[in-house]
Amino acid sequence: MNSTNFSECHIVHEGLRTTEILICVSDNFFKPIVDDYTVFIFQIVVNVFLNGTISVFGIIANVFNILVFFRQGIFTESGTAGIFGLAVSDLCCVASMLWLCVIESVVLAKPQNLSWDPDAVKTVTAFWVHMMFVTITRVVTVYIALERCICVIFPFKVKSLLNPRRAIIIMSVASLVVGCFFIPCFMAFQLTFILDPVTNSTRLVMVTNVKFQSLALDKMVYVTGYSCNIFSVMAVFVCTLITAIRINLSKTWRESVSTGSSSAGDKDMRKLNEPMSKSKMQKEAKLIRMIIMISIIFLICYLPLLVYLIMITADRDLGLRGKYKNFSRVMYTLSFLTGTINSSIKIIIYYTMSTRYRDELRTLVGLKTK
């Protein structure tokens, strides 16, 4: 007798008739959007090779970014402090991504008789750590986009509202808050050594704490994964749009960088301070354009994930636990790739759009002497 596995059964009401027909959909007739072999090859190419290569470049690039911005003085301008904090979070993001790629290569290779469980090590030491730093990067990006938006809306009050030390404190507190949200995730999944009776050897495996598991998977993942991604993309989009419109329609914000030349009584003193004010206005304009470009790259990289998360809310079968879980794995793999790109290519933006950054970097690597 042939047996058939049924994955879904439901009742159909035919109009006004009271007859109910039980319809069962068989697993034998279900065809996934992406098959297992395609997902396997896709993860090798993207998670191991592409993400790994881009992560190495991102680590080197962000180390240079941190050194350059530190040499420029992170306590001199709030804008410099903001992109310095972004460089630090990007470095942590790509470093954790590189470790995730290394562990992922072991998981995909499926070696036998290891003294540790690759999937367990990947989940505890790589996946949750990377997700935490990705979330921090989103929050810091929102901050610097909001900061420039405030700069053009309230040009005469921005210096009293925002300063370098306050910017560093805000980013640090925000990062700590994000870290606290991930505490249940680290508490729910922990590594421990157990004795394997089959091989009579000690093996490193993952132990799940049921008390924190539901909180981690249901509440925290929703907040840090769904809500934070939607909020960050929308916030950066709104702030960038307002900043761009304000720059194009008004020149009032340019006066905010004036150092008191208008209040000086001596005409010669006003003339002396005027070139400095113009120089600072040009510098401020370049910084805002650079941050707008950073925001645009951020939106391009994270918008596909936002669209996918909206699709999941509309159809649960597209989730990791749904019928189309392979499609979901492909989408999350792509989101990891775009996130790594976002955290790695900012050095190109800085180098092409900032003369000061370019000169400082060339001096740092010995291509230019002061």
Side-chain angles (χ1 to χ4, degrees):
M1 180 178 178
N2 296 329
S3 61
T4 304
N5 295 324
F6 297 101
S7 60
E8 179 183 357
C9 294
H10 55 275
I11 297 176
V12 176
H13 296 271
E14 296 183 336
L16 300 176
R17 296 175 59 185
T18 58
T19 305
E20 296 181 345
I21 304 173
L22 184 64
I23 297 180
C24 296
V25 181
S26 172
D27 286 338
N28 298 335
F29 297 100
F30 172 71
K31 293 183 179 180
I33 299 176
V34 185
D35 59 83
D36 293 338
Y37 181 75
T38 302
V39 173
F40 176 75
I41 298 298
F42 187 79
Q43 288 182 323
I44 292 178
V45 174
V46 176
N47 273 351
V48 178
F49 292 103
L50 289 180
N51 268 331
T53 303
I54 297 174
S55 296
V56 172
F57 171 79
I59 291 173
I60 298 173
N62 282 293
V63 167
F64 279 120
N65 290 340
I66 291 172
L67 293 176
V68 169
F69 294 135
F70 184 81
R71 286 163 62 95
Q72 289 180 353
I74 59 175
F75 292 104
T76 57
E77 299 175 1
S78 59
T80 304
I83 54 181
F84 174 82
L86 185 61
V88 173
S89 65
D90 281 336
L91 176 61
C92 296
C93 189
V94 293
S96 60
M97 185 71 242
L98 180 61
W99 174 238
L100 181 61
C101 292
V102 173
I103 299 298
E104 182 73 8
S105 64
V106 179
V107 172
L108 294 175
K110 298 180 180 179
Q112 301 295 325
N113 300 324
L114 283 179
S115 60
W116 53 281
D117 183 3
D119 275 311
V121 175
K122 169 188 170 183
T123 301
V124 177
T125 68
F127 177 78
W128 290 118
V129 175
H130 179 67
M131 291 300 296
M132 180 179 67
F133 287 126
V134 167
T135 307
I136 292 175
T137 297
R138 291 171 182 167
V139 172
V140 174
T141 304
V142 170
Y143 170 77
I144 64 174
L146 178 62
E147 181 192 49
R148 290 302 98 185
C149 183
I150 295 175
C151 178
V152 298
I153 294 177
F154 306 105
F156 300 103
K157 297 181 180 181
V158 65
K159 289 187 177 181
S160 60
L161 294 175
L162 300 172
N163 57 63
R165 294 184 182 276
R166 191 170 296 173
I168 293 176
I169 292 175
I170 292 174
M171 289 185 292
S172 300
V173 172
S175 300
L176 289 175
V177 171
V178 172
C180 291
F181 271 103
F182 277 88
I183 289 178
C185 300
F186 294 109
M187 295 294 294
F189 308 99
Q190 300 178 10
L191 294 176
T192 185
F193 287 97
I194 64 170
L195 180 63
D196 188 354
V198 177
T199 60
N200 194 25
S201 60
T202 303
R203 195 165 186 260
L204 183 65
V205 298
M206 182 176 67
V207 176
T208 303
N209 189 322
V210 180
K211 180 181 179 180
F212 292 97
Q213 182 181 12
S214 177
L215 179 63
L217 294 181
D218 297 334
K219 302 298 189 299
M220 294 302 101
V221 170
Y222 178 81
V223 172
T224 59
Y226 290 16
S227 302
C228 184
N229 186 76
I230 295 174
F231 167 77
S232 62
V233 171
M234 297 303 297
V236 171
F237 174 77
V238 172
C239 291
T240 303
L241 183 63
I242 294 174
T243 302
I245 294 175
R246 187 72 176 181
I247 288 176
N248 290 329
L249 297 181
S250 176
K251 296 181 180 180
T252 305
W253 64 274
R254 298 177 186 272
E255 301 176 8
S256 64
V257 295
S258 178
T259 56
S261 59
S262 59
S263 62
D266 191 1
K267 294 182 179 181
D268 294 334
M269 183 62 68
R270 289 200 299 267
K271 293 181 180 179
L272 181 64
N273 287 334
E274 185 177 359
M276 182 182 299
S277 299
K278 288 183 178 180
S279 175
K280 287 187 176 182
M281 283 190 288
Q282 292 176 354
K283 180 180 176 182
E284 184 74 10
K286 289 181 179 179
L287 177 61
I288 291 179
R289 286 196 296 268
M290 188 170 67
I291 290 178
I292 289 177
M293 182 57 64
I294 292 173
S295 301
I296 292 174
I297 297 297
F298 173 85
L299 292 174
I300 293 174
C301 290
Y302 283 103
L303 188 59
L305 179 60
L306 175 61
V307 174
Y308 171 66
L309 294 178
I310 296 175
M311 291 170 60
I312 291 180
T313 59
D315 188 353
R316 292 294 181 180
D317 286 336
L318 293 173
L320 287 172
R321 300 178 183 179
K323 292 191 299 184
Y324 305 105
K325 59 182 179 181
N326 282 350
F327 174 74
S328 181
R329 290 164 64 187
V330 170
M331 293 301 298
Y332 275 110
T333 301
L334 284 176
S335 69
F336 277 1
L337 177 62
T338 56
T340 305
I341 293 173
N342 173 71
S343 297
S344 302
I345 65 173
K346 294 185 180 72
I347 188 173
I348 301 176
I349 299 174
Y350 301 147
Y351 190 85
T352 56
M353 300 188 66
S354 174
T355 304
R356 185 185 177 192
Y357 178 92
R358 184 164 57 249
D359 293 341
E360 192 69 48
L361 179 61
R362 290 173 64 86
T363 301
L364 183 64
V365 297
L367 296 178
K368 179 180 178 181
T369 57
K370 292 184 178 181

